C-alpha cells in the first residue's frame, strides 16, 4: 500500500510525545513504515506504543477494564473477559495462507489467492479502529538475549489481546533494539472490528490470513486468543516456516523437568493435540514446568536444547480443581494477575467453571450474556455455565512448580520427546520407540485423536494430527517429517521417543487413573538413564510389571495389580494393524514423505502379523 503522508509525520499526528519517542528510539525504519501503513488504513483516533515498563503494562490492564473488555473480579488482580458466543475457538475454516498465483499447498492446507485475500482482509481492516486506540506492542518469542529470541511487533485494537500478551510473552521492546534496524521481525495486525455489547459484531467476517513472504499475519473480527494473540498460534506458523531452512525445530510441545534419583533433572518435551492431557502432563506433581504449549528446539554441540516460546499459560480451565490441579488452583485463587475467559461471572463477583469441584451458581453472566441454569441456545441446546474451551491466562513463574530454567537463554537439554493422543482402544499407556526415527515416524507422525472443543466443529471424531501440529503447517507434511529426522541425525545422543495414551477405555470407563501419568514419566526418566529394563514388542518397548508396581507404590502410594498391567499393556494386534492401514492411507498421496516411513510401517505390520500368528490377537505382556 502506498502512502501519501510521510510515515513519521502520520505517526506523530496520532501519538503522544511519549509514544512517538518510544517508537523512534527503536531506530527501525521497517517498523515505522509498518505501523504507519496500518495507522493510515485502520484509522485509529490515537496510537499507544507499549514498552517493557511496568507502568505501560499496568496501563494496558487498567484500560482493558475501563473499556469493558475485561471486568475486575473479587480477587485482586483477577479479571474476566468474554468472547462472543460464536467466537470460542480457533477458526480453522477461515485461517488461510495467502499464496501467489499457481501455488498449491495441497488439500490439507487452506489457502487463498494472495491478491484477493489481501484485498479482503485489508478491506476488513479499513477504518476498523475509528473511535479506538491502536496499541503497538513488542514481544520476544523465546527467552531474551538468546539464539532462540525472535522479535515481534503486534498491532491490535484490543486491550485484552495486549494484556494477554503481556502475561504470556517476554518483553520485546529492549530486545527489538538488537535488530539494529533490520526487518527480521514478525508482524501481527489484529482488529476486533465493530463491537456490540463488547463482542465482535461481524464474526461472519472473521479472518486470519497469513503472508509468509512478509512474515505478517492479519486477524480480523475475532477476539478469541487463539485467533488474535499474534505471538501464539499465528507466530508458530511463521516460525515453522522460518526454522525449516535454518535447521532447528518449532514444535507444539510442552517442556517438562522430571526429578530423578540423586537430584538429577531430566527434561522432556511433549506434543499432544488440544485437550489430551498436555497441560496436565506439563504440570505434573513433584515435577517442574517450563512450558505447556510451544517449544523451540535447537542443536548445540550435538545436543538438543529446548526453550519455551512463552512465559505464560493460556490453559483450558474445565476440570481444573483443587484436588487434581493444586498448583494451578492455587494461582487461580490467590491475588495476582489472572485473566479468566468465557467462565461464569456470578453475583459474588467470582468466576466459576465446569468441573471445578465446588458447587456452582445457578445464574450469572457468561459468554452468552445473562445466564440461568437451563438456558438454551438458538438451536435448543442447553448452554452450560461456562464454555468447554473457557480458559485462564497466567504467568508460569507464579506456579510453585515453575522450573528454574524457564528463562535460561541456553534453554534446557532434551532427553525425551513424548507424543500423545486420545485413543480408546489401540495403544498402551506408555511405549518407547526403538530409536529416534522410529519414534518420529510411528508415533509423532502417526498421532490420532478425538476432536475436542478447542477447535470449531464437531467434537469426538478420531482425527489424524501429525505431531499435533497439522493445523499450523504451511508446507507438505513429508518435508516437515524429514526436517525432524534431519534434526535428529545431527544429534550425538538423540532424545528417546515415547508414545503415551491416557484414554484407553473399557465399557465406557477409563482404564488408567488421572494421576497415572506421573508414573509413566518416572518410567521414561529411568529409561533415559538406563535404569529400567523393558519388554520388546512389535511397536516398541513397554515397561516391566515389577518396575511399574514399584513406581506406583513410590509415586502414588497405589497398589498396581498384575490384572491392571495385563489389561493396559496387552498388545492389541487387530487395532494396531487397522491403525497402520489408516496411517498408510493418510500418507498415500502426500509428497516428499521420507521413504523409510513406509518401510517402517511394512516392517511393523510384518512383526504384528507374526505375533498374531504365534500368539493370537491380544497378546498379554506377561507372555513376552
Ligand atoms: C490449542 O488449541 O492448541 C491451544 C489453544 O493451545 S489456542 O490458543 O486456541 O491455540
Ligand atoms: Mn496449543
Amino acid at each position: 500500500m502506498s502512502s501519501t503522508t510521510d510515515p513519521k509525520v502520520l505517526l506523530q499526528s496520532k501519538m503522544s510525545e511519549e509514544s512517538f519517542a518510544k517508537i523512534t528510539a527503536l531506530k527501525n525504519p521497517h517498523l515505522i513504515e509498518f505501523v504507519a501503513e496500518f495507522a493510515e488504513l485502520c484509522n485509529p483516533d490515537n496510537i499507544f506504543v507499549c514498552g517493557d515498563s511496568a507502568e505501560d503494562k499496568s496501563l494496558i490492564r487498567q484500560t482493558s477494564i475501563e473499556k469493558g473488555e475485561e471486568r475486575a473480579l473479587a480477587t485482586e488482580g483477577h479479571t474476566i473477559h468474554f468472547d462472543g458466543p460464536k467466537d470460542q475457538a480457533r477458526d480453522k475454516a477461515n485461517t488461510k495462507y495467502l499464496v501467489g498465483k499457481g501455488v498449491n499447498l495441497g488439500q490439507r492446507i487452506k489457502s487463498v489467492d494472495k491478491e484477493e485475500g489481501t484485498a479482503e482482509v485489508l478491506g476488513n481492516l479499513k477504518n476498523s479502529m475509528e473511535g479506538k486506540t491502536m496499541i503497538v506492542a513488542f514481544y520476544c518469542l523465546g527467552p531474551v538475549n538468546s539464539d532462540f529470541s525472535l522479535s515481534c511487533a503486534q498491532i491490535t485494537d484490543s486491550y485484552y489481546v495486549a494484556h494477554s500478551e503481556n502475561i504470556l510473552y517476554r518483553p520485546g521492546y529492549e530486545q527489538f533494539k538488537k535488530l539494529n534496524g533490520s526487518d527480521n521481525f514478525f508482524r501481527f495486525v489484529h482488529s476486533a472490528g465493530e463491537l456490540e455489547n463488547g463482542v465482535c459484531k461481524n464474526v461472519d467476517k472473521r479472518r486470519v490470513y497469513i503472508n509468509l513472504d512478509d512474515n505478517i499475519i492479519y486477524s480480523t473480527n475475532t477476539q478469541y486468543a487463539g485467533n488474535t494473540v499474534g505471538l501464539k498460534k499465528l507466530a508458530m506458523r511463521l516460525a515453522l516456516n522460518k526454522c525449516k531452512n535454518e535447521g532447528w525445530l518449532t514444535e507444539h510441545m510442552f517442556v517438562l523437568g522430571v526429578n530423578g534419583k540423586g537430584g538429577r533433572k531430566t527434561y522432556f518435551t511433549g506434543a499432544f493435540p488440544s485437550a489430551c492431557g498436555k497441560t496436565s502432563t506439563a504440570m505434573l506433581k513433584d515435577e517442574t514446568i517450563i512450558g505447556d504449549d510451544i517449544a523451540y528446539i535447537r542443536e548445540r554441540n550435538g545436543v538438543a536444547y529446548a526453550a519455551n516460546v512463552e512465559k505464560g499459560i493460556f490453559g483450558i480451565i474445565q476440570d481444573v480443581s483443587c484436588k487434581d490441579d493444586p498448583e494451578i488452583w492455587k494461582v487461580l485463587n490467590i491475588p495476582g494477575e489472572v485473566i479468566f475467559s468465557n467462565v461464569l461471572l456470578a453475583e459474588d463477583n467470582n468466576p466459576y467453571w465446569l468441573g471445578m469441584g465446588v458447587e456452582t451458581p445457578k445464574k450469572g453472566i457468561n459468554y452468552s450474556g445473562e445466564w440461568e441454569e437451563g438456558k438454551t441456545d438458538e438451536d435448543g441446546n442447553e448452554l452450560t455455565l461456562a464454555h468447554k474451551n473457557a480458559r485462564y491466562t497466567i504467568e508460569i513463574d507464579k506456579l510453585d512448580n515453575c522450573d528454574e530454567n524457564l528463562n535460561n537463554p541456553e534453554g534446557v537439554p532434551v532427553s525425551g520427546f513424548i507424543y500423545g493422543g486420545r485413543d480408546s482402544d489401540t495403544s498402551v499407556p506408555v511405549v518407547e520407540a526403538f530409536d529416534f526415527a522410529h519414534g518420529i515416524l510411528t508415533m509423532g507422525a502417526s498421532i490420532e485423536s478425538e476432536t475436542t472443543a478447542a477447535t470449531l466443529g464437531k467434537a469426538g471424531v478420531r482425527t489424524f494430527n501429525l505431531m499435533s501440529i497439522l493445523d499450523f503447517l504451511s508446507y507438505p507434511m513429508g518435508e516437515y517429517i524429514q526436517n525432524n529426522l534431519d534434526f535428529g541425525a545431527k544429534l550425538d545422543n538423540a532424545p528417546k521417543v515415547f508414545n503415551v495414551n491416557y484414554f484407553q477405555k473399557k465399557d465406557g470407563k477409563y482404564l488408567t487413573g488421572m494421576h497415572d501419568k506421573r508414573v509413566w514419566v518416572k518410567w521414561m526418566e529411568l529409561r533415559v538413564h538406563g535404569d529400567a529394563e523393558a519388554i520388546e514388542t512389535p511397536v516398541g518397548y513397554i515397561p516391566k510389571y515389577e518396575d511399574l508396581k514399584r513406581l506406583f507404590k513410590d509415586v502414588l502410594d497405589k497398589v498396581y495389580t498384575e490384572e491392571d498391567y495385563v489389561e493396559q499393556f496387552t498388545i492389541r494386534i487387530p487395532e494396531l494393524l487397522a491403525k497402520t492401514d489408516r496411517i498408510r492411507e493418510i500418507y498415500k498421496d502426500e509428497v516428499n514423505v521420507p521413504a523409510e516411513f513406509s518401510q517402517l510401517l511394512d516392517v511393523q505390520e510384518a512383526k504384528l502379523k507374526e505375533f498374531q500368528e504365534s500368539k493370537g490377537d491380544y497378546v498379554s505382556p506377561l507372555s513376552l
Side-chain angles (χ1 to χ4, degrees):
M1 196 192 350
S2 65
S3 165
T4 45
T5 326
D6 177 300
K8 276 198 178 170
V9 173
L10 177 81
L11 291 186
Q12 205 162 14
S13 72
K14 300 235 180 208
M15 285 181 183
S16 67
E17 252 175 60
E18 223 182 313
S19 276
F20 188 66
K22 268 188 267 182
I23 202 160
T24 47
L26 292 173
K27 296 197 175 66
N28 193 312
H30 304 285
L31 173 72
I32 298 285
E33 259 173 47
F34 165 61
V35 178
E37 178 182 341
F38 288 94
E40 188 171 30
L41 179 71
C42 304
N43 198 17
D45 285 8
N46 49 61
I47 303 172
F48 174 66
V49 177
C50 182
D52 293 348
S53 72
E55 294 77 42
D56 282 6
K57 311 260 172 198
S58 160
L59 189 123
I60 294 283
R61 183 180 172 280
Q62 274 312 322
T63 316
S64 188
I65 296 170
E66 275 159 31
K67 302 254 179 210
E69 285 193 65
E70 291 169 55
R71 305 181 205 196
L73 293 167
T75 307
E76 192 199 322
H78 293 196
T79 53
I80 184 167
H81 163 83
F82 293 114
D83 301 309
K86 297 196 173 124
D87 196 15
Q88 291 289 321
R90 273 190 276 118
D91 183 351
K92 288 201 206 183
N94 289 303
T95 299
K96 296 179 185 170
Y97 288 90
L98 295 158
V99 297
K101 292 256 181 296
V103 178
N104 183 359
L105 295 181
Q107 47 176 334
R108 284 186 193 282
I109 301 166
K110 291 216 152 48
S111 62
V112 52
D113 176 75
K114 193 169 191 169
E115 245 172 67
E116 262 170 47
T118 307
E120 181 191 11
V121 81
L122 294 185
N124 285 356
L125 286 168
K126 195 165 170 57
N127 295 324
S128 63
M129 298 188 190
E130 252 173 22
K132 298 198 224 173
T133 296
M134 171 188 274
I135 301 158
V136 183
F138 305 93
Y139 301 98
C140 178
L141 294 164
V144 295
N145 301 321
S146 145
D147 57 352
F148 290 112
S149 311
L150 289 178
S151 286
C152 298
Q154 169 84 60
I155 289 176
T156 178
D157 58 8
S158 164
Y159 283 90
Y160 159 70
V161 167
H163 182 200
S164 301
E165 291 183 324
N166 288 343
I167 296 174
L168 293 170
Y169 300 96
R170 288 146 179 128
Y173 180 79
E174 286 304 319
Q175 181 75 31
F176 216 86
K177 291 182 180 165
K178 302 204 171 86
L179 291 174
N180 288 323
S182 95
D183 66 350
N184 187 17
F185 60 94
F186 291 167
R187 297 141 217 240
F188 307 101
V189 183
H190 165 249
S191 172
E194 216 177 315
L195 298 177
E196 196 172 58
N197 301 323
V199 300
C200 293
K201 191 175 161 193
N202 302 309
V203 253
D204 57 318
K205 291 199 181 122
R206 176 173 51 205
R207 298 290 180 270
V208 178
Y209 283 180
I210 303 134
N211 179 331
L212 293 176
D213 301 324
D214 300 336
N215 279 322
I216 181 164
I217 301 189
Y218 313 98
S219 158
T220 65
N221 297 306
T222 174
Q223 290 174 305
Y224 173 68
N227 296 323
T228 59
V229 165
L231 284 275
K232 204 169 187 58
K233 291 312 188 324
L234 313 191
M236 189 167 151
R237 295 164 185 278
L238 299 182
L240 270 163
N241 191 57
K242 183 174 167 62
C243 72
K244 90 170 192 260
N245 301 318
E246 297 179 4
W248 51 284
L249 302 178
T250 297
E251 297 298 322
H252 193 196
M253 282 178 151
F254 64 65
V255 186
L256 163 76
V258 177
N259 292 307
K261 70 179 181 198
R264 74 185 174 200
K265 168 93 75 179
T266 308
Y267 291 99
F268 291 83
T269 58
F272 299 51
S274 296
C276 284
K278 187 174 170 193
T279 301
S280 59
T281 308
M283 195 72 73
L284 288 180
K285 183 164 162 13
D286 296 337
E287 317 299 2
T288 54
I289 178 170
I290 288 195
D292 85 315
D293 200 28
I294 308 167
Y296 291 159
I297 306 177
R298 281 182 176 268
E299 176 267 342
R300 264 183 245 120
N301 303 319
V303 175
Y305 285 87
N308 184 3
V309 169
E310 314 179 281
K311 72 167 171 81
I313 297 181
F314 175 60
I316 293 180
I317 203 165
Q318 180 164 341
D319 296 329
V320 169
S321 68
C322 182
K323 184 169 137 283
D324 292 330
D325 311 273
E327 293 87 4
I328 304 173
W329 181 264
K330 183 171 163 192
V331 178
L332 301 184
N333 282 279
I334 56 171
E337 208 163 358
V338 182
I339 308 175
F340 294 86
S341 52
N342 306 313
V343 300
L344 182 77
L345 169 61
E347 259 170 0
D348 62 4
N349 214 23
N350 281 312
Y352 293 87
W353 55 91
L354 298 167
M356 71 189 288
V358 304
E359 200 169 327
T360 49
K362 307 276 178 259
K363 63 182 174 69
I365 298 168
N366 74 2
Y367 67 98
S368 72
E370 292 284 341
W371 176 86
E372 230 175 52
E373 198 169 63
K375 182 176 176 181
T376 51
D377 66 13
E378 56 205 25
D379 301 323
N381 301 314
E382 188 175 344
L383 284 159
T384 48
L385 81 154
H387 195 272
K388 283 166 103 112
N389 195 28
R391 301 232 168 197
Y392 60 86
T393 303
I394 60 169
E395 286 187 301
I396 294 174
D397 66 5
K398 299 295 183 300
L399 293 161
D400 287 342
N401 55 335
C402 172
D403 190 275
E404 61 191 1
N405 286 312
L406 169 64
N407 293 314
N408 189 336
E410 298 259 299
V412 293
V414 190
S415 300
F417 283 7
I418 307 173
Y419 293 106
R422 199 172 263 269
D423 164 12
S424 56
D425 60 8
T426 307
S427 54
V428 297
V430 61
V431 54
E432 178 191 321
F434 296 126
D435 56 38
F436 187 78
H438 176 249
I440 291 295
L441 296 168
T442 68
M443 296 173 183
S446 305
I447 293 180
E448 291 180 309
S449 186
E450 287 170 22
T451 46
T452 71
T455 48
L456 299 179
K458 198 167 167 238
V461 181
R462 177 133 62 182
T463 335
F464 166 72
N465 193 347
L466 165 71
M467 268 103 143
S468 145
I469 211 158
L470 200 50
D471 284 0
F472 314 106
L473 222 50
S474 65
Y475 60 97
M477 299 200 288
E479 290 170 29
Y480 166 77
I481 296 169
Q482 189 64 54
N483 287 342
N484 269 263
L485 296 180
D486 293 347
F487 183 82
K490 288 196 290 191
L491 304 173
D492 296 328
N493 196 2
K496 279 187 181 288
V497 183
F498 300 91
N499 190 74
V500 295
N501 174 24
Y502 309 148
F503 303 95
Q504 278 183 317
K505 271 187 175 172
K506 192 183 176 187
D507 305 328
K509 279 208 186 111
Y510 289 115
L511 287 184
T512 48
M514 173 98 178
H515 298 284
D516 294 1
K517 49 175 96 72
R518 291 177 54 201
V519 170
W520 315 140
V521 300
K522 290 296 196 204
W523 181 76
M524 294 183 231
E525 197 267 350
L526 294 177
R527 288 293 296 164
V528 163
H529 297 282
D531 289 341
E533 289 180 352
I535 302 168
E536 186 171 340
T537 77
V539 290
Y541 301 113
I542 60 169
K544 289 189 145 180
Y545 173 62
E546 296 71 37
D547 291 323
L548 291 184
K549 184 178 167 191
R550 186 170 40 82
L551 286 171
F552 266 92
K553 183 75 199 146
D554 292 353
V555 178
L556 299 177
D557 194 21
K558 219 169 118 175
V559 177
Y560 188 63
T561 66
E562 212 167 65
E563 234 179 349
D564 286 341
Y565 173 69
V566 170
E567 186 135 67
Q568 296 166 8
F569 285 90
T570 284
I571 306 300
R572 303 159 177 218
I573 314 261
E575 285 82 359
L576 286 163
L577 285 171
K579 174 163 179 172
T580 309
D581 284 346
R582 291 196 297 274
I583 299 301
R584 261 211 204 92
E585 187 63 25
I586 284 162
Y587 285 100
K588 173 175 98 202
D589 299 324
E590 286 291 324
V591 296
N592 303 340
V593 178
E596 59 198 287
F597 198 177
S598 75
Q599 288 156 14
L600 259 183
L601 290 177
D602 290 348
V603 170
Q604 180 159 303
E605 186 178 67
K607 280 195 204 168
L608 283 166
K609 286 189 170 155
E610 221 174 275
F611 240 54
Q612 194 172 34
E613 266 170 37
S614 61
K615 298 175 186 299
D617 280 350
Y618 297 92
V619 183
S620 162
L622 296 179
S623 73
L624 300 174

